[in-house]
mmCIF file of all heavy atoms in Angstrom:
data_model
loop_
_atom_site.group_PDB
_atom_site.id
_atom_site.type_symbol
_atom_site.label_atom_id
_atom_site.label_comp_id
_atom_site.label_asym_id
_atom_site.label_seq_id
_atom_site.Cartn_x
_atom_site.Cartn_y
_atom_site.Cartn_z
ATOM 1 N N ALA A 42 81.532 105.082 114.939
ATOM 2 C CA ALA A 42 82.494 104.923 113.844
ATOM 3 C C ALA A 42 83.596 103.971 114.187
ATOM 4 O O ALA A 42 83.984 103.114 113.341
ATOM 5 C CB ALA A 42 83.015 106.296 113.444
ATOM 6 N N TRP A 43 84.084 104.060 115.416
ATOM 7 C CA TRP A 43 85.116 103.151 115.854
ATOM 8 C C TRP A 43 84.663 101.686 115.768
ATOM 9 O O TRP A 43 85.388 100.821 115.282
ATOM 10 C CB TRP A 43 85.542 103.476 117.266
ATOM 11 C CG TRP A 43 86.436 102.548 117.953
ATOM 12 C CD1 TRP A 43 86.153 101.831 119.085
ATOM 13 C CD2 TRP A 43 87.754 102.181 117.647
ATOM 14 N NE1 TRP A 43 87.211 101.008 119.432
ATOM 15 C CE2 TRP A 43 88.219 101.197 118.594
ATOM 16 C CE3 TRP A 43 88.670 102.570 116.583
ATOM 17 C CZ2 TRP A 43 89.462 100.661 118.506
ATOM 18 C CZ3 TRP A 43 89.920 101.971 116.500
ATOM 19 C CH2 TRP A 43 90.307 101.052 117.527
ATOM 20 N N ILE A 54 88.167 107.173 104.651
ATOM 21 C CA ILE A 54 87.333 107.736 105.770
ATOM 22 C C ILE A 54 87.349 109.255 105.662
ATOM 23 O O ILE A 54 88.386 109.921 105.608
ATOM 24 C CB ILE A 54 87.925 107.341 107.214
ATOM 25 C CG1 ILE A 54 88.004 105.827 107.284
ATOM 26 C CG2 ILE A 54 87.025 107.889 108.230
ATOM 27 C CD1 ILE A 54 88.877 105.389 108.394
ATOM 28 N N LEU A 58 86.138 116.581 112.890
ATOM 29 C CA LEU A 58 86.920 116.516 114.155
ATOM 30 C C LEU A 58 86.021 116.692 115.344
ATOM 31 O O LEU A 58 86.212 116.057 116.367
ATOM 32 C CB LEU A 58 87.927 117.637 114.162
ATOM 33 C CG LEU A 58 89.085 117.556 113.176
ATOM 34 C CD1 LEU A 58 90.082 118.662 113.407
ATOM 35 C CD2 LEU A 58 89.751 116.202 113.220
ATOM 36 N N VAL A 77 95.342 100.302 111.580
ATOM 37 C CA VAL A 77 94.494 100.510 110.517
ATOM 38 C C VAL A 77 95.068 101.660 109.622
ATOM 39 O O VAL A 77 95.235 102.746 110.083
ATOM 40 C CB VAL A 77 93.022 100.938 110.983
ATOM 41 C CG1 VAL A 77 92.226 101.362 109.782
ATOM 42 C CG2 VAL A 77 92.447 99.824 111.789
ATOM 43 N N ALA A 86 85.716 122.701 110.468
ATOM 44 C CA ALA A 86 85.605 124.202 110.395
ATOM 45 C C ALA A 86 86.900 124.812 110.900
ATOM 46 O O ALA A 86 87.080 126.023 110.723
ATOM 47 C CB ALA A 86 84.454 124.620 111.145
ATOM 48 N N HIS A 91 97.876 125.219 112.948
ATOM 49 C CA HIS A 91 98.208 124.203 114.030
ATOM 50 C C HIS A 91 97.161 123.098 114.093
ATOM 51 O O HIS A 91 97.491 122.016 114.484
ATOM 52 C CB HIS A 91 98.329 124.927 115.403
ATOM 53 C CG HIS A 91 97.008 125.450 115.967
ATOM 54 N ND1 HIS A 91 96.565 126.677 115.682
ATOM 55 C CD2 HIS A 91 96.055 124.852 116.794
ATOM 56 C CE1 HIS A 91 95.331 126.851 116.243
ATOM 57 N NE2 HIS A 91 95.064 125.780 116.940
ATOM 58 N N THR A 99 98.536 113.239 113.925
ATOM 59 C CA THR A 99 97.755 112.120 114.445
ATOM 60 C C THR A 99 97.600 110.978 113.464
ATOM 61 O O THR A 99 97.231 109.870 113.838
ATOM 62 C CB THR A 99 96.370 112.641 114.844
ATOM 63 O OG1 THR A 99 96.510 113.747 115.800
ATOM 64 C CG2 THR A 99 95.546 111.579 115.616
ATOM 65 N N ALA A 101 96.266 111.655 109.960
ATOM 66 C CA ALA A 101 95.445 112.000 108.826
ATOM 67 C C ALA A 101 96.317 112.108 107.574
ATOM 68 O O ALA A 101 97.420 112.457 107.596
ATOM 69 C CB ALA A 101 94.716 113.292 109.092
ATOM 70 N N LYS A 107 86.163 123.519 106.077
ATOM 71 C CA LYS A 107 84.784 123.881 105.751
ATOM 72 C C LYS A 107 84.664 125.405 105.697
ATOM 73 O O LYS A 107 85.281 126.058 106.529
ATOM 74 C CB LYS A 107 83.746 123.295 106.786
ATOM 75 C CG LYS A 107 83.794 121.833 106.953
ATOM 76 C CD LYS A 107 82.873 121.419 108.079
ATOM 77 C CE LYS A 107 82.875 119.908 108.334
ATOM 78 N NZ LYS A 107 81.987 119.563 109.492
ATOM 79 N N TYR A 111 82.363 120.814 96.576
ATOM 80 C CA TYR A 111 82.251 119.354 96.427
ATOM 81 C C TYR A 111 83.254 118.853 95.404
ATOM 82 O O TYR A 111 83.837 117.791 95.602
ATOM 83 C CB TYR A 111 80.870 119.011 96.031
ATOM 84 C CG TYR A 111 80.720 117.512 95.722
ATOM 85 C CD1 TYR A 111 80.728 116.584 96.758
ATOM 86 C CD2 TYR A 111 80.675 117.077 94.348
ATOM 87 C CE1 TYR A 111 80.680 115.264 96.410
ATOM 88 C CE2 TYR A 111 80.644 115.735 94.107
ATOM 89 C CZ TYR A 111 80.618 114.787 95.154
ATOM 90 O OH TYR A 111 80.612 113.503 94.850
ATOM 91 N N GLN A 112 83.498 119.634 94.328
ATOM 92 C CA GLN A 112 84.446 119.174 93.326
ATOM 93 C C GLN A 112 85.858 119.078 93.852
ATOM 94 O O GLN A 112 86.611 118.147 93.492
ATOM 95 C CB GLN A 112 84.367 120.141 92.111
ATOM 96 C CG GLN A 112 83.070 120.081 91.355
ATOM 97 C CD GLN A 112 82.668 118.672 90.861
ATOM 98 O OE1 GLN A 112 83.548 117.946 90.345
ATOM 99 N NE2 GLN A 112 81.420 118.334 90.981
ATOM 100 N N ILE A 122 92.392 107.632 97.066
ATOM 101 C CA ILE A 122 92.091 106.197 96.767
ATOM 102 C C ILE A 122 93.020 105.732 95.662
ATOM 103 O O ILE A 122 93.488 104.598 95.744
ATOM 104 C CB ILE A 122 90.581 106.078 96.400
ATOM 105 C CG1 ILE A 122 89.688 106.297 97.588
ATOM 106 C CG2 ILE A 122 90.317 104.732 95.777
ATOM 107 C CD1 ILE A 122 88.242 106.266 97.284
ATOM 108 N N LEU A 133 104.895 98.350 89.501
ATOM 109 C CA LEU A 133 104.652 99.737 89.157
ATOM 110 C C LEU A 133 105.181 99.944 87.725
ATOM 111 O O LEU A 133 106.209 99.427 87.420
ATOM 112 C CB LEU A 133 105.336 100.685 90.128
ATOM 113 C CG LEU A 133 104.954 100.516 91.573
ATOM 114 C CD1 LEU A 133 105.775 101.461 92.455
ATOM 115 C CD2 LEU A 133 103.461 100.809 91.787
ATOM 116 N N GLY A 136 105.253 103.974 81.468
ATOM 117 C CA GLY A 136 105.729 103.670 80.122
ATOM 118 C C GLY A 136 106.389 102.365 80.049
ATOM 119 O O GLY A 136 105.836 101.371 80.503
ATOM 120 N N ASP A 137 107.619 102.306 79.556
ATOM 121 C CA ASP A 137 108.362 101.084 79.482
ATOM 122 C C ASP A 137 109.228 100.822 80.699
ATOM 123 O O ASP A 137 109.988 99.847 80.736
ATOM 124 C CB ASP A 137 109.229 101.061 78.192
ATOM 125 C CG ASP A 137 110.220 102.143 78.127
ATOM 126 O OD1 ASP A 137 110.264 102.997 79.010
ATOM 127 O OD2 ASP A 137 111.089 102.194 77.189
ATOM 128 N N VAL A 139 109.631 99.567 84.398
ATOM 129 C CA VAL A 139 108.833 98.670 85.282
ATOM 130 C C VAL A 139 109.623 98.373 86.493
ATOM 131 O O VAL A 139 110.801 98.061 86.534
ATOM 132 C CB VAL A 139 108.601 97.294 84.510
ATOM 133 C CG1 VAL A 139 107.850 96.322 85.411
ATOM 134 C CG2 VAL A 139 107.832 97.532 83.211
ATOM 135 N N GLY A 143 107.956 92.914 94.360
ATOM 136 C CA GLY A 143 108.098 91.588 94.891
ATOM 137 C C GLY A 143 109.458 90.992 94.766
ATOM 138 O O GLY A 143 110.112 90.480 95.636
ATOM 139 N N ARG A 145 112.053 92.844 93.757
ATOM 140 C CA ARG A 145 112.953 93.987 93.967
ATOM 141 C C ARG A 145 113.853 94.146 92.713
ATOM 142 O O ARG A 145 115.043 94.328 92.714
ATOM 143 C CB ARG A 145 113.938 93.768 95.105
ATOM 144 C CG ARG A 145 113.224 93.442 96.423
ATOM 145 C CD ARG A 145 112.443 94.610 96.934
ATOM 146 N NE ARG A 145 113.273 95.762 97.345
ATOM 147 C CZ ARG A 145 112.717 96.835 97.850
ATOM 148 N NH1 ARG A 145 111.428 97.049 97.825
ATOM 149 N NH2 ARG A 145 113.494 97.801 98.185
ATOM 150 N N GLU A 183 110.598 109.611 103.290
ATOM 151 C CA GLU A 183 110.222 108.246 102.943
ATOM 152 C C GLU A 183 111.434 107.403 102.672
ATOM 153 O O GLU A 183 111.472 106.205 103.113
ATOM 154 C CB GLU A 183 109.374 108.280 101.691
ATOM 155 C CG GLU A 183 108.816 106.984 101.316
ATOM 156 C CD GLU A 183 107.654 107.068 100.358
ATOM 157 O OE1 GLU A 183 106.996 108.114 100.237
ATOM 158 O OE2 GLU A 183 107.453 106.092 99.572
ATOM 159 N N ASP A 186 114.051 108.038 105.989
ATOM 160 C CA ASP A 186 113.390 107.907 107.269
ATOM 161 C C ASP A 186 113.690 109.124 108.197
ATOM 162 O O ASP A 186 114.083 108.878 109.339
ATOM 163 C CB ASP A 186 113.810 106.580 107.972
ATOM 164 C CG ASP A 186 112.870 106.214 109.044
ATOM 165 O OD1 ASP A 186 111.723 106.657 109.058
ATOM 166 O OD2 ASP A 186 113.370 105.425 109.957
ATOM 167 N N SER A 193 119.763 118.897 102.467
ATOM 168 C CA SER A 193 120.779 117.902 102.132
ATOM 169 C C SER A 193 120.913 117.670 100.665
ATOM 170 O O SER A 193 119.929 117.548 99.941
ATOM 171 C CB SER A 193 120.505 116.559 102.844
ATOM 172 O OG SER A 193 121.383 115.567 102.421
ATOM 173 N N ASP A 197 119.787 114.906 95.817
ATOM 174 C CA ASP A 197 120.138 115.368 94.484
ATOM 175 C C ASP A 197 121.116 114.373 93.886
ATOM 176 O O ASP A 197 121.123 114.100 92.650
ATOM 177 C CB ASP A 197 120.744 116.765 94.461
ATOM 178 C CG ASP A 197 119.801 117.766 95.192
ATOM 179 O OD1 ASP A 197 118.904 118.234 94.545
ATOM 180 O OD2 ASP A 197 119.950 117.933 96.370
ATOM 181 N N TYR A 199 121.457 111.155 94.474
ATOM 182 C CA TYR A 199 120.742 109.913 94.146
ATOM 183 C C TYR A 199 119.795 110.114 92.983
ATOM 184 O O TYR A 199 119.631 109.206 92.192
ATOM 185 C CB TYR A 199 120.019 109.351 95.358
ATOM 186 C CG TYR A 199 120.852 108.471 96.189
ATOM 187 C CD1 TYR A 199 121.725 109.013 97.178
ATOM 188 C CD2 TYR A 199 120.883 107.091 96.031
ATOM 189 C CE1 TYR A 199 122.604 108.213 97.893
ATOM 190 C CE2 TYR A 199 121.669 106.281 96.731
ATOM 191 C CZ TYR A 199 122.535 106.816 97.674
ATOM 192 O OH TYR A 199 123.397 106.001 98.383
ATOM 193 N N TYR A 202 121.995 109.581 90.205
ATOM 194 C CA TYR A 202 122.266 108.116 89.998
ATOM 195 C C TYR A 202 121.136 107.549 89.165
ATOM 196 O O TYR A 202 121.358 106.725 88.305
ATOM 197 C CB TYR A 202 122.388 107.460 91.298
ATOM 198 C CG TYR A 202 123.590 107.761 92.154
ATOM 199 C CD1 TYR A 202 123.635 107.508 93.546
ATOM 200 C CD2 TYR A 202 124.700 108.344 91.630
ATOM 201 C CE1 TYR A 202 124.714 107.776 94.327
ATOM 202 C CE2 TYR A 202 125.832 108.647 92.356
ATOM 203 C CZ TYR A 202 125.844 108.373 93.760
ATOM 204 O OH TYR A 202 126.994 108.711 94.512
ATOM 205 N N VAL A 207 118.309 104.890 84.644
ATOM 206 C CA VAL A 207 117.012 104.571 84.091
ATOM 207 C C VAL A 207 116.568 105.500 82.871
ATOM 208 O O VAL A 207 115.671 105.284 82.178
ATOM 209 C CB VAL A 207 115.846 104.641 85.146
ATOM 210 C CG1 VAL A 207 116.209 103.683 86.290
ATOM 211 C CG2 VAL A 207 115.575 106.022 85.651
ATOM 212 N N VAL A 216 112.705 111.268 84.874
ATOM 213 C CA VAL A 216 112.907 111.869 86.221
ATOM 214 C C VAL A 216 113.117 113.390 86.014
ATOM 215 O O VAL A 216 114.158 113.783 85.470
ATOM 216 C CB VAL A 216 114.168 111.279 86.918
ATOM 217 C CG1 VAL A 216 114.323 111.845 88.317
ATOM 218 C CG2 VAL A 216 113.993 109.725 87.006
ATOM 219 N N LEU A 226 108.168 112.021 88.468
ATOM 220 C CA LEU A 226 108.462 110.991 87.401
ATOM 221 C C LEU A 226 107.345 111.071 86.357
ATOM 222 O O LEU A 226 106.127 110.982 86.688
ATOM 223 C CB LEU A 226 108.471 109.595 88.022
ATOM 224 C CG LEU A 226 108.887 108.486 87.024
ATOM 225 C CD1 LEU A 226 110.401 108.363 87.065
ATOM 226 C CD2 LEU A 226 108.211 107.199 87.306
#
Side-chain angles (χ1 to χ4, degrees):
W43 169 244
I54 303 165
L58 293 187
V77 176
H91 70 272
T99 307
K107 301 175 182 178
Y111 174 74
Q112 292 304 319
I122 291 177
L133 303 174
D137 61 353
V139 179
R145 307 294 292 178
E183 187 165 335
D186 197 22
S193 172
D197 307 274
Y199 273 81
Y202 293 160
V207 306
V216 182
L226 186 89

